[in-house]
Amino acid sequence: MKEWASYQDTLDVLKSTINSWDRVQKVAITEVLDRHIAHDVIAEQNYPAQELSAMDGYAFKWQDGLSELELMTDLPAGSDKGLVVSGTKCVKTFTGSLMSEGTDTLIPVENVEVVGTKVIIKKPVAKGFSVREVGESYKKGEILIKKGTRLNYAEIALLAELGYFHISVFVRPRVAILATGSEIRDLGEALENPAQIHSSNHIALAMMMRKMGAEPVVCEIVKDKPELVKEAITNALKTADVLVTTGGVSMGDYDFVKTTLNENFSIIIDGAGIKPGRHIKVAKSGEKYIFALPGFPYSAMVMCVLYVRVLLDAWLHEQTPRMLKAIIDENYTKRSPFLEFTAVNLVQKDGVSHVNLSGKKLGSSAIVNNLTSGAALLVVPKETELISKGELVDILLMV
C-alpha cells in the first residue's frame, strides 16, 4: 500500500521550489482594483502638513470663560491669506480650511450667534475642538500600504490622495485551465447520452484564478487520448506560467494526464495523505508549474485552494490571512484515515466565528453545492476521530 506524504511535507516541497516573481507593470489608478501593489507606499510628509478645520465654524485662540469673539474675515477652503490672529479675534473658517496662525480651536457655526462683527458664544467647546492635527492621517516615514496588498477602494483612494496616477503592480500570472475527460462536454454542447456531463471545473477554476489575482486562460476540453492530452499540455505551457489540469490523475486505465507528467516532466509532488484529492500531482517544466487536480469538482476546487493558491500568494506577496479559529456547533465524526478538509458554513455570532454543517451533503467529491453560500473548510487532523460540539477548530478560508 502506498505511503502518502503529509500535506505539510508536500507544502514544504512546493514552497522550496518557488522563485520570486519580479514581473512588474505600471497601471493607471483607475485600473488597479484588485491588483497587488509591487512596493511599499511610504508617506513622504505629514498629512495634513498643517492644522486644518474639520468643520464650518470660527477659528480662535481658546481661553477659559470666553463668551464673545470679534470677527476679522473669512478663510475659504483652499486659500491662504497669511492671517495672524490674536486676543479674542476669530476667522470664519470652513471645512478643510487652514487654521490661521494663533488659533487652536474651532467653534461650530451652530454654537454661536453673529451680530455684525460680534460672534457670541452660545455653547462653548473644549480647547482644540474640531481641529485636524498635523499628521492626523499619517506621519512622514509611515508605511501606508505594504507590498503585496491587494488594492481595494480605500487603498486606491489613499493613492489618489498621495497624488499617484500610475501604480506599480505585479503582473498577473497567466494560468491555463485544462479540463480532461471523454465524459465531459463544454457549455452549450448537447449531452449525447446519460454518461456525459457538462464540465464545471474549467469555469470554477478560471473564476478562482481571477479571485486569486491571476489571469485565467481556459483551454479546450480534451478527450482521454494520450496523444491529445500530451499535445494540449505542451501547447498550454507555451504561453502560460502555470497549468492547472483536472481529471486523469487517479488509478484508472484512462488517466493519461498522470502518464504524460510522469514521462515528460519533473514531478515534485506525487500525492498527499489528504481528503479530498490525495492523487494530486505537481510537476515543473523549467520555471513553469503544472498542478494536476482531480476530476471531481469539489476536489478540484479544494485542491486549488490548498496548492495553487500557495504558489500565487507567494508570487504576489498576498497579505490576507487564510486560517482562523471558530467554534463548531455540532459533533463531527472523522470520515477517513487522512487529514480532512470538509466544507462547512461559517457564521458570526456576537462577533465570534462559528461553523456548522447544515445543508452539507455526505457523498462523493462531486457535490459542487457543498461549496456554495460562502463555505469554508474545516481542517480535521489525521489523528482526530471525533470533534465535539463547542470545540475550537481550525478553518481554512476559500476564495
Side-chain angles (χ1 to χ4, degrees), residues 14 17-18 241-243 283-284 287-291 311 315:
L14 174 60
T17 69
I18 299 175
D241 305 298
V242 178
L243 170 62
K284 289 198 73 176
E287 292 302 310
K288 300 185 177 187
Y289 286 82
I290 307 166
F291 293 86
L311 172 66
W315 275 351

Side-chain angles (χ1 to χ4, degrees), residues 10-293:
T10 60
L11 272 192
D12 291 343
V13 170
L14 174 60
K15 291 177 180 179
S16 72
T17 69
I18 299 175
N19 293 324
S20 63
W21 182 264
D22 55 5
R23 305 180 200 178
V24 176
Q25 64 182 135
K26 287 276 193 179
V27 178
I29 194 170
T30 53
E31 302 297 324
V32 296
L33 183 65
D34 285 335
R35 298 298 296 270
H36 290 81
I37 196 161
H39 58 87
D40 288 341
V41 175
I42 300 173
E44 295 182 358
Q45 62 181 17
N46 295 328
Y47 185 76
Q50 294 180 244
E51 290 183 338
L52 301 177
S53 168
M55 60 195 307
D56 295 343
Y58 297 85
F60 68 104
K61 177 73 171 179
W62 188 90
Q63 299 175 42
D64 189 23
L66 197 60
S67 61
E68 187 178 299
L69 301 169
E70 181 184 351
L71 180 62
M72 291 174 56
T73 184
D74 64 2
L75 185 64
S79 61
D80 183 2
K81 296 181 179 180
L83 300 172
V84 179
V85 180
S86 61
T88 60
K89 293 182 180 179
C90 68
V91 176
K92 189 171 186 180
T93 304
F94 302 89
T95 304
S97 294
L98 292 173
M99 291 294 292
S100 299
E101 184 179 343
T103 67
D104 59 11
T105 303
L106 186 116
I107 189 165
V109 292
E110 57 267 29
N111 287 28
V112 303
E113 179 184 347
V114 181
V115 181
T117 60
K118 291 183 179 181
V119 178
I120 302 167
I121 297 174
K122 296 293 187 180
K123 185 179 179 180
V125 294
K127 183 178 180 180
F129 183 81
S130 200
V131 175
R132 294 193 62 201
E133 297 178 353
V134 172
E136 177 193 62
S137 292
Y138 41 82
K139 292 180 169 54
K140 182 178 180 179
E142 184 178 340
I143 297 177
L144 304 178
I145 304 175
K146 291 184 178 180
K147 177 180 179 179
T149 298
R150 184 189 290 255
L151 299 173
N152 206 338
Y153 60 88
E155 289 82 12
I156 294 172
L158 179 56
L159 289 167
E161 183 175 89
L162 292 166
Y164 283 82
F165 179 72
H166 285 101
I167 318 297
S168 294
V169 296
F170 288 112
V171 173
R172 291 188 179 106
R174 189 175 171 89
V175 181
I177 312 294
L178 176 64
T180 70
S182 296
E183 78 282 10
I184 57 177
R185 291 289 182 270
D186 209 341
L187 306 185
E189 292 183 341
L191 302 181
E192 299 170 353
N193 62 65
Q196 295 179 343
I197 60 172
H198 283 121
S199 173
S200 61
N201 285 348
H202 64 315
I203 300 301
L205 294 174
M207 298 303 100
M208 292 177 81
M209 290 304 99
R210 286 187 183 176
K211 294 281 283 184
M212 293 178 187
E215 177 189 348
V217 179
V218 179
C219 303
E220 291 186 351
I221 293 172
V222 178
K223 296 184 182 299
D224 289 323
K225 294 185 177 181
E227 67 278 9
L228 294 180
V229 171
K230 181 179 179 181
E231 180 183 17
I233 289 175
T234 302
N235 287 338
L237 288 171
K238 290 178 180 177
T239 57
D241 305 298
V242 178
L243 170 62
V244 178
T245 70
T246 64
V249 294
S250 188
M251 305 296 289
D253 294 342
Y254 295 91
D255 288 331
F256 298 122
V257 172
K258 176 180 67 176
T259 304
T260 299
L261 296 186
N262 287 340
E263 293 178 353
N264 298 277
F265 300 98
S266 173
I267 306 296
I268 61 173
I269 296 174
D270 189 11
I274 55 178
K275 180 179 174 62
R278 66 181 180 274
H279 293 290
I280 183 172
K281 281 184 176 288
V282 182
K284 289 198 73 176
S285 175
E287 292 302 310
K288 300 185 177 187
Y289 286 82
I290 307 166
F291 293 86
L293 311 183

